[in-house]
Amino acid sequence: MAAPEFISVEDFFRPPTSAAPSISPDGTRIAYLAPRNNRLNVWIKDLDSNEEARCVTAEENRGVHDFRWTGDSRWLLYTQDGNGDEKWHLYRVDLDNPGAEAIDLTPFPGATVVHFELPGERPGKALLHLNSRDIEVFDLCELDIATGAITVLAENPGHVAFWMCGPDGDLFARTLTSAGDIEISRWDVDAATLHPIAVYDGADYPMGVLPVRLTPDGSGVWIGSNRGTDRTRLVRLDLTTGAETEVDSHPTFDLDTRGAVSPVLLSPLILDRRTGELIGARYLGERQVVHALDPHFAAVLENLQKLSDGDLAAVSSDDTGQRWVVTFTHDRDPGVAYYYDHSTGAHRLLFRPYPHVDPESLAPMSPVTIPARDGLSLPSYLTLPVGIEPVGLPMVLMVHGGPWYRDSWEFDPAAQLFANRGYAVLQVNFRGSTGYGKAFVKAAIGEFAGKMHDDLIDAVHWAVEQGYADPDRVAIFGASYGGYASLVGVTFTPDVFAAAIDYVGISDLTNFLRTIPSFAKPHTANNWHLFVGDPDDPEQKADMLARSPITHVDRIRTPLLVIQGANDVRVVRAESDNLVKALLERGVEVEYMVKDDEGHGFANPENQIDMFHAIERFLARHLGGRRE
């Protein structure tokens, strides 16, 4: 069999030529991301003419990733932080004034915007979750987009995680009670008090109840609920009675709630651009399933799904619901964008983000199910090199972050790079991963460095028993929780792995929880405190230290590569510094890469390229794969 075509690190990690298109509400233009001076910026192009696209932002330090059209198609809003510090500011671009610079609408030192939306019933306004008054809490603010004036609609009493504003100005909140339960409440503006409407068992929702979206008439909330079931389904919560009514569900899949991790990830709710009414819902198993909840969208969806054999990703339409711009998730041909006119049936390819990479040269990502030692089924994905007999291969075990996240069928440039270099790649949705029911998530309570790690080891043994992997040439690689899992791998099971890569990972669970951002600490009851412990409790602290790799550095003998962003506010630099220092004092082999202009994961392409060149060399040296 012929070895696969060699694809450079640069081709995998340089910015896409075009990405993330969104049609304007008036249906005349698209906005999309494309490089300018090696940074993703927002470009505008007319849909019905051959005029050249023009760049409307001028970000040179870090690329843009989250932008929105305003309802009148006059402005674009986007967020930007500084060197990965996650202090997000909201910027405005005036599309009627091409020479004007972007305006920082939230120029408050140390503050951040964690959520913003553009409600159709408030033209010219944006609603912000902003902590400019008190860095530890987020108030609900209304922004006048044209003038920049900000009005505080509700001051956070200290335990509100999310605000909602109805069409008549009624305010609602998602809060966390002292007992750790989640309440949906009505906010009394005059008395500045909350009145509970419904309560959810917090232990069933480690990342909170998601999604939470007001219906356009303000009388209800669409919620992803698992009350009385194992699976998360879509319900409508009546804001007068507190009663739930099922809106939609899937017999075996959870509602896709990955959007809880980041605003740039897809919402499970597909809404009408003009009215805000619910027209579709996303569910995720091995692949995505979209349920159309509106006859017009059902007809549109049928035609959209004919455009690609991938999964429907970003969807935007004009206000008439006739002109659509969509992208698709795919394991080998990601982000392909199409324009579709429902009134005529006409469609055309807008772009492929990575035209320099041939999809046929990439490796398919195949769903597999792996049995854990206690009988739990672990939904996983296996990526095998193209053109190489899949027997006795060196293998990279890639561990996702969170841990309340999941791997899914998609293009992963790291996995594709490893497969191109001759490695099998295994991605395991270990217990605690979301999307497989609440029992699967709660099976991870108290199991950090325990059964969660056993799941990974069982997956390695499965790959060896199936003949895919050489047991003497297995590496573990992960970011954030995945970095912690890599460190657990080389401290708790040092004989399993020939190499390990810790990317912005946790080495000390107690220090990690003490150094997370102050505004995040009140919301840890149902995730970190429930699953791992509270470092302020002496008994729990002792258990957390026992599960922390920093406590067991004397066991590390596996070659280790540690990668860290200096400005990381989630897993601070000390997590890596302290580990590396302890290893160097013992004379253990460790490579350490720190980037001073990055945070929790590298965003700038030159840093990503530098990092994966280092990873490529590291794996080649210890596992024997190909390298440039």
Side-chain angles (χ1 to χ4, degrees):
M1 302 175 73
E5 169 196 348
F6 197 91
I7 303 172
S8 70
V9 170
E10 285 76 8
D11 279 347
F12 279 120
F13 293 98
R14 72 191 195 198
T17 57
S18 304
S22 176
I23 194 170
S24 60
D26 63 14
T28 63
R29 295 168 290 177
I30 60 168
Y32 62 97
L33 299 177
R36 177 182 180 272
N37 296 330
N38 205 37
R39 295 291 184 268
L40 288 178
N41 276 275
V42 184
W43 296 65
I44 301 293
K45 184 173 177 58
D46 194 285
L47 266 175
D48 298 317
S49 77
N50 293 319
E51 289 185 13
E52 289 292 316
R54 65 183 176 95
C55 188
V56 298
T57 62
E59 294 293 329
E60 297 183 350
N61 190 43
R62 296 175 77 76
V64 177
H65 294 279
D66 183 19
F67 69 89
R68 322 268 176 88
W69 289 97
T70 58
D72 59 3
S73 304
R74 162 74 189 277
W75 318 92
L76 276 172
L77 303 182
Y78 71 94
T79 55
Q80 183 63 281
D81 76 341
N83 289 330
D85 62 6
E86 299 194 43
K87 293 182 173 64
W88 299 101
H89 287 218
L90 184 67
Y91 290 82
R92 184 194 71 202
V93 175
D94 186 351
L95 299 180
D96 288 351
N97 189 357
E101 293 184 356
I103 302 298
D104 185 354
L105 296 171
T106 55
F108 310 112
T112 185
V113 175
V114 294
H115 176 80
F116 78 96
E117 59 183 284
L118 300 164
E121 70 276 3
R122 291 172 177 256
K125 310 292 186 183
L127 295 176
L128 316 178
H129 287 56
L130 180 64
N131 64 344
S132 57
R133 177 183 62 87
D134 181 342
I135 206 71
E136 296 193 359
V137 294
F138 289 87
D139 298 330
L140 179 65
C141 301
E142 182 181 71
L143 167 73
D144 186 298
I145 296 168
T147 67
I150 293 177
T151 303
V152 177
L153 300 181
E155 288 190 358
N156 197 324
H159 59 295
V160 172
F162 187 76
W163 294 100
M164 295 171 282
C165 183
D168 297 326
D170 293 335
L171 301 182
F172 303 89
R174 190 191 81 203
T175 64
L176 193 67
T177 70
S178 58
D181 290 327
I182 297 167
E183 284 185 347
I184 305 298
S185 302
R186 183 183 300 273
W187 175 255
D188 184 326
V189 175
D190 295 330
T193 56
L194 290 163
H195 301 279
I197 297 169
V199 181
Y200 292 84
D201 185 343
D204 291 342
Y205 303 89
M207 300 301 290
V209 175
L210 295 159
V212 177
R213 177 85 184 195
L214 273 177
T215 59
D217 63 3
S219 67
V221 179
W222 291 311
I223 284 178
S225 172
N226 59 36
R227 181 187 283 173
T229 71
D230 186 57
R231 298 289 174 179
T232 299
R233 66 202 191 286
L234 180 59
V235 305
R236 179 189 178 276
L237 176 73
D238 189 294
L239 290 171
T240 300
T241 67
E244 275 190 5
T245 304
E246 183 171 306
V247 175
D248 189 56
S249 63
H250 188 281
T252 54
F253 296 170
D254 274 355
L255 200 66
D256 182 4
T257 58
R258 289 174 300 165
V261 176
S262 168
V264 301
L265 295 176
L266 295 171
S267 168
L269 307 183
I270 302 175
L271 305 177
D272 183 279
R273 179 74 167 268
R274 181 179 60 84
T275 66
E277 289 291 347
L278 183 67
I279 60 174
R282 301 175 189 268
Y283 298 86
L284 192 62
E286 292 180 350
R287 295 277 298 271
Q288 178 187 250
V289 172
V290 177
H291 285 179
L293 304 178
D294 167 86
H296 174 71
F297 182 64
V300 170
L301 179 64
E302 182 180 2
N303 289 329
L304 292 179
Q305 291 179 327
K306 296 175 184 177
L307 300 177
S308 170
D309 62 349
D311 291 346
L312 189 68
V315 178
S316 63
S317 77
D318 67 353
D319 281 339
T320 70
Q322 297 299 316
R323 306 188 111 193
W324 296 77
V325 168
V326 298
T327 62
F328 289 88
T329 298
H330 200 284
D331 60 345
R332 288 165 293 155
D333 196 13
V336 175
Y338 285 90
Y339 165 71
Y340 166 69
D341 188 330
H342 189 61
S343 62
T344 66
H347 60 84
R348 67 176 185 267
L349 176 70
L350 293 175
F351 54 74
R352 291 181 60 240
Y354 305 96
H356 50 282
V357 178
D358 178 7
E360 294 301 316
S361 67
L362 299 178
M365 184 180 186
S366 301
V368 296
T369 300
I370 298 172
R373 65 189 67 179
D374 63 358
L376 195 66
S377 294
L378 307 175
S380 306
Y381 294 90
L382 179 67
T383 303
L384 297 172
V386 175
I388 298 175
E389 186 178 3
V391 176
L393 298 172
M395 187 177 81
V396 180
L397 177 68
M398 286 181 56
V399 187
H400 69 69
W404 304 282
Y405 191 57
R406 59 160 287 174
D407 284 313
S408 55
W409 185 81
E410 63 186 350
F411 174 75
D412 187 318
Q416 291 293 340
L417 171 68
F418 299 151
N420 187 258
R421 298 306 187 257
Y423 304 107
V425 181
L426 186 58
Q427 295 168 271
V428 182
N429 284 311
F430 47 87
R431 69 192 68 206
S433 303
T434 53
Y436 302 100
K438 65 185 179 186
F440 191 86
V441 174
K442 294 171 80 170
I445 293 174
E447 296 300 340
F448 272 53
K451 291 181 181 178
M452 295 168 76
H453 186 62
D454 291 344
D455 290 346
L456 300 179
I457 300 303
D458 292 346
V460 171
H461 292 160
W462 173 88
V464 171
E465 291 165 1
Q466 297 295 312
Y468 297 121
D470 178 347
D472 296 324
R473 294 190 296 161
V474 177
I476 184 170
F477 165 55
S480 195
Y481 173 85
Y484 165 81
S486 293
L487 295 176
V488 169
V490 296
T491 50
F492 285 75
T493 52
D495 295 328
V496 174
F497 300 105
I501 303 162
D502 158 30
Y503 179 23
V504 296
I506 302 162
S507 65
D508 182 340
L509 290 166
T510 63
N511 183 68
F512 162 71
L513 274 174
R514 287 192 174 121
T515 56
I516 60 174
S518 57
F519 57 74
K521 290 182 178 179
H523 306 287
T524 55
N526 298 317
N527 40 69
W528 292 100
H529 284 176
L530 175 63
F531 282 72
V532 186
D534 181 351
D536 292 331
D537 180 301
E539 185 175 343
Q540 293 182 44
K541 177 184 176 182
D543 181 67
M544 293 169 72
L545 285 172
R547 298 172 188 271
S548 295
I550 195 71
T551 307
H552 308 290
V553 289
D554 59 313
R555 301 177 185 173
I556 297 178
R557 54 181 180 270
T558 307
L560 178 63
L561 170 60
V562 178
I563 302 165
Q564 180 70 41
N567 304 312
D568 195 336
V569 297
R570 302 189 190 201
V571 179
V572 297
R573 179 173 176 170
E575 290 295 308
S576 294
D577 282 352
N578 294 340
L579 176 77
V580 170
K581 181 175 183 289
L583 290 172
L584 291 176
E585 287 175 351
R586 290 184 51 240
V588 175
E589 179 179 355
V590 60
E591 298 180 37
Y592 191 22
M593 174 182 286
V594 180
K595 294 296 183 182
D596 291 334
D597 57 348
E598 296 287 4
H600 194 61
F602 293 0
N604 290 336
E606 67 274 14
N607 291 333
Q608 289 185 319
I609 289 168
D610 191 24
M611 174 176 71
F612 278 98
H613 272 303
I615 290 173
E616 176 190 46
R617 292 190 298 268
F618 179 79
L619 291 176
R621 185 160 63 251
H622 298 292
L623 267 64
R626 299 196 304 169
R627 56 166 291 187
E628 287 189 69

